[in-house]
Amino acid sequence: MNDILRSLVESFGPSGHEDTVRSLIAAQIAGAVDEVRTDALGNLIALKRGDGTGHRIMLAAHMDEIGVMASYIDEKGFVRVQPIGGVSPLLEVGGRVLFANGVVGVISYEKLAAGEQVPPMDKLFVDVGATSRQDCPVALGDPACFLQPLCAVGGHLTAKAMDDRVGCAVLIEAVRHLGKTPHECCFVFSSQEEVGTRGAMTAAFGIAPDVGVAVDVTLAGDTPEPAVRMAVALDAGPAIKVKDGGMLATPWVKDWMVDTASSEGLPYQLEVLPGGTTDARAIQTSREGIPSGCLSIPCRYVHSPSETVSAADVANAVKLLTAMLRRPLPR
Amino acid sequence: MILEALANAFGPSGCEQDVRALLLEQIRGRVEDCRVDHLGNILAQQRGTSDRLRVMVSAHMDEVGLMVTYAEDSGLLRFVTVGNIDVRVLPAKRVLVGRERTPGVIAVKPVHKTTAEERGRAFSIEQLAIDVGATTKAEAEKVAGRGDYAVFATRFQDLGGTVTGKALDDRAGCAILVELVQRGPYPFTLCPVFSTMEEIGMRGARVAAFAMAPDVAFVLEGTVCDDSPKKRDESPTTEMGKGPVISVADRSVIADQRLVRHVVRVAAAAGIPLQIKQPGKGGTDAGAIHLARTGVPSLPVCVACRYIHSPVSMLSKRDLGQTVDLMEQALRRLSPEVLAAQDGLQEVPRP
């Protein structure tokens, strides 16, 4: 599991440029599913057939990560960038980015104006060691991800792109361990979630499932003076979403998760997230409406280069998801 | 030049009928199938030498404008903006108002009567009104009632190397699409779409893409150009006179990488200069089109237009011509293989 997660989080995959992650996942699930395809937006859709007595279930974890895109190369060869997804300049400064061609850059910033405490995006620059516009190895429009290897921190794991490669890892493990199921399970490794759940929209339309479940990270409120006060902690089990900024989980989908966890004796916690949303919102509002929910992995420092999760929570999320998929739907 | 008639036509979002009439006239006889949908989009089809692909090429008919909200007892017409307009550009501009396209002026206090403090401050839209020369509420209401539109009265001008006019965003795109239809057929079914209501949130294109269900989409736009000299060394967004523009990522879409590579190669092979628009800025109909149904690989192809969303914009005639040529070549060389073609984008084999 940790090997898969390491290769996933350390791969390059800003929104719209998920090719490497997609190839990696396709290789990991080959043989464990009945059909695999990619759609027009680059979603990887893997189908595992049921015994014909169940329903069509869409599971979604997104392959893409936040990052930056070169928006201007100045005359001294410094690269200006625009965010891909929700990027905070505060968390970027001093960090490093990796471009698709292997070029590494250091993120720093111009002198701030009086009263400015955090550099605005247009005062950030990426130093790729160039001396002029002509010798800069980065071109306008090139995307980059953060550069940060996976490390164990006590019982926790920290890396860039844990959002949502950890969800991808959970789906891969679930595919491999599922065994027999009554349901037609469509495992979707979605594209472009960080720029507005775009991949899940078209995937859900194409699949037209009876129910949708996203697997994604959520914030944790268990650090000193957290910016967002919420009752989710690491090591307390996967979180079953009740609500976030874009979705009210369909009550019976939430209950399906809760009842499965209770009967399997698995730890869980309920999640009410004040802002943000997941692919579950896109699935829920697709076509004529699709009952949907989200199984969350509690994560500290989301959208920083050191997103941190509990290995135990991840393992329990795999157990909960596979148990859910083996039972009949509550309706 | 068809662009002249298009730019002069009255067509704010939701009121595109004059532009639509001009365009229907232009493409008649060149397409096999042509209809106007419930949102006012023109949906056409031109049969190609093959039907292996359906390729939607779209441009939006609507322009930013104004809508009358109230006729005052004084005869002045209050208004709101339709689409994104910087209110600071409005005072003292000529407009055409209402169903009869009556000339009017956006009222402004004479400089003689303003204080230094007033001159240092921009007007808010609540302080502005359209003066059509009416002296009573009843007289004003004969010109335009609540809900009637106004647009800038700017007339198109050819300055030699460049042209100026209102609404080059996106009548430039419409003119390019007309020319591409004239130069057809192509090796696929071309689906030309002239869309409505882009400026208020890509509304027409959303339903047009659902109806056309294309395999690929190109969106033709007159886009932001900010190439005036600056103190800081920063991006000009795009530059006028430096050739056609592609947008690889903006607020609304991340362009399909296969189409980006295709157009970059075609431009290089044809010796046409190509600019990449500063990522992260603006949005186009591609934002709605690429999310239709099961998804549509999409790419915005643009002409750099200075001063868009103001009473007058400017573009280079050479840029416009090169954009038509680039799109023609890109379409002629488009095949299902381009979409399957890889360069690092590995399509997972279907069992």
Side-chain angles (χ1 to χ4, degrees), chain B residues 260-274 326 329 333:
Chain B
V260 170
R261 282 193 293 267
H262 176 65
V263 171
V264 167
R265 278 187 195 140
V266 167
I272 298 172
L274 185 67
L326 173 65
Q329 291 303 318
R333 296 180 194 196

Side-chain angles (χ1 to χ4, degrees), chain A:
Chain A
M1 172 78 180
N2 279 4
D3 289 345
I4 296 175
L5 186 58
R6 177 183 297 277
S7 58
L8 285 169
V9 294
E10 293 181 359
S11 292
F12 177 91
S15 307
H17 300 82
E18 300 91 356
D19 320 14
T20 310
V21 183
R22 185 166 58 236
S23 305
L24 186 64
I25 295 171
Q28 291 290 337
I29 59 174
V33 290
D34 298 306
E35 268 180 40
V36 181
R37 63 189 165 89
T38 56
D39 76 2
L41 257 60
N43 295 297
L44 179 70
I45 301 173
L47 172 70
K48 189 169 167 60
R49 290 204 186 83
D51 64 11
T53 64
H55 292 81
R56 183 180 296 164
I57 303 177
M58 172 170 166
L59 294 315
H62 66 89
M63 298 186 286
D64 63 313
E65 64 189 295
I66 59 167
V68 293
M69 182 175 273
S71 58
Y72 186 60
I73 317 295
D74 75 18
E75 58 194 11
K76 290 180 180 159
F78 289 96
V79 180
R80 300 290 170 156
V81 293
Q82 286 287 317
I84 300 173
V87 169
S88 160
L90 178 66
L91 303 175
E92 282 192 52
V93 169
R96 298 164 192 183
V97 293
L98 173 69
F99 289 88
N101 58 2
V103 169
V104 172
V106 175
I107 305 176
S108 194
Y109 62 104
E110 298 174 14
K111 189 174 86 174
L112 299 182
E116 258 180 345
Q117 302 211 328
V118 175
M121 195 49 88
D122 67 1
K123 285 198 171 173
L124 294 189
F125 56 81
V126 176
D127 178 353
V128 292
T131 57
S132 70
R133 190 172 286 153
Q134 288 68 35
D135 76 0
C136 182
V138 169
L140 191 58
D142 284 355
C145 66
F146 298 106
L147 187 56
Q148 194 79 296
L150 180 87
C151 287
V153 181
H156 299 162
L157 299 167
T158 186
K160 63 111 179 143
M162 206 57 95
D163 173 8
D164 183 29
R165 306 285 161 72
V166 70
C168 295
V170 168
L171 287 200
I172 291 169
E173 288 294 309
V175 168
R176 289 172 159 188
H177 294 110
L178 182 54
K180 282 204 184 315
T181 167
H183 305 297
E184 182 179 320
C185 299
C186 298
F187 293 88
V188 175
F189 300 89
S190 63
S191 62
Q192 303 191 26
E193 191 271 354
E194 296 292 359
V195 290
T197 65
R198 294 179 190 166
M201 269 185 222
T202 62
F205 185 93
I207 292 166
D210 298 312
V211 57
V213 175
V215 180
D216 206 338
V217 300
T218 190
L219 306 185
D222 60 349
T223 53
E225 298 293 328
V228 178
R229 278 195 184 275
M230 60 185 291
V232 170
L234 264 60
D235 301 308
I240 295 170
K241 193 185 293 284
V242 182
K243 172 189 184 296
D244 65 22
M247 184 197 65
L248 296 155
T250 306
W252 71 258
V253 177
K254 179 204 69 179
D255 292 344
W256 172 36
M257 297 182 188
V258 169
D259 294 346
T260 307
S262 301
S263 67
E264 298 285 327
L266 294 169
Y268 73 91
Q269 44 190 333
L270 292 179
E271 170 207 346
V272 177
L273 179 67
T277 198
T278 71
D279 279 345
R281 174 197 163 85
I283 304 169
Q284 195 179 44
T285 53
S286 183
R287 291 182 171 260
E288 62 265 45
I290 296 167
S292 298
C294 179
L295 183 61
S296 299
I297 311 297
C299 183
R300 292 178 184 163
Y301 326 123
V302 172
H303 285 200
S304 84
S306 295
E307 298 175 326
T308 303
V309 300
S310 148
D313 290 344
V314 178
N316 282 318
V318 174
K319 287 180 191 162
L320 176 52
L321 189 64
T322 48
M324 284 165 56
L325 297 177
R326 285 180 191 138
R327 351 169 105 207
L329 291 184
R331 62 174 65 183

Side-chain angles (χ1 to χ4, degrees), chain B residues 314-326:
Chain B
M314 177 189 279
L315 61 76
S316 143
K317 289 200 290 197
R318 193 176 57 188
D319 286 348
L320 190 72
Q322 286 177 334
T323 308
V324 175
D325 294 340
L326 173 65

Side-chain angles (χ1 to χ4, degrees), chain B residues 3 7 11 59-64 84 165-174 198-199 220-224 283-284 303 305-310 312-315:
Chain B
L3 181 57
H60 68 88
M61 295 184 284
D62 62 313
E63 65 189 294
V64 295
N84 197 4
K166 74 170 177 66
L168 298 183
D169 169 11
D170 183 31
R171 306 290 158 70
C174 294
E198 190 269 353
E199 297 293 359
L220 305 173
E221 261 288 5
T223 197
V224 182
T284 72
V303 177
C305 290
R306 289 177 177 166
Y307 327 123
I308 60 172
H309 288 216
S310 85
V312 61
S313 40
M314 177 189 279
L315 61 76

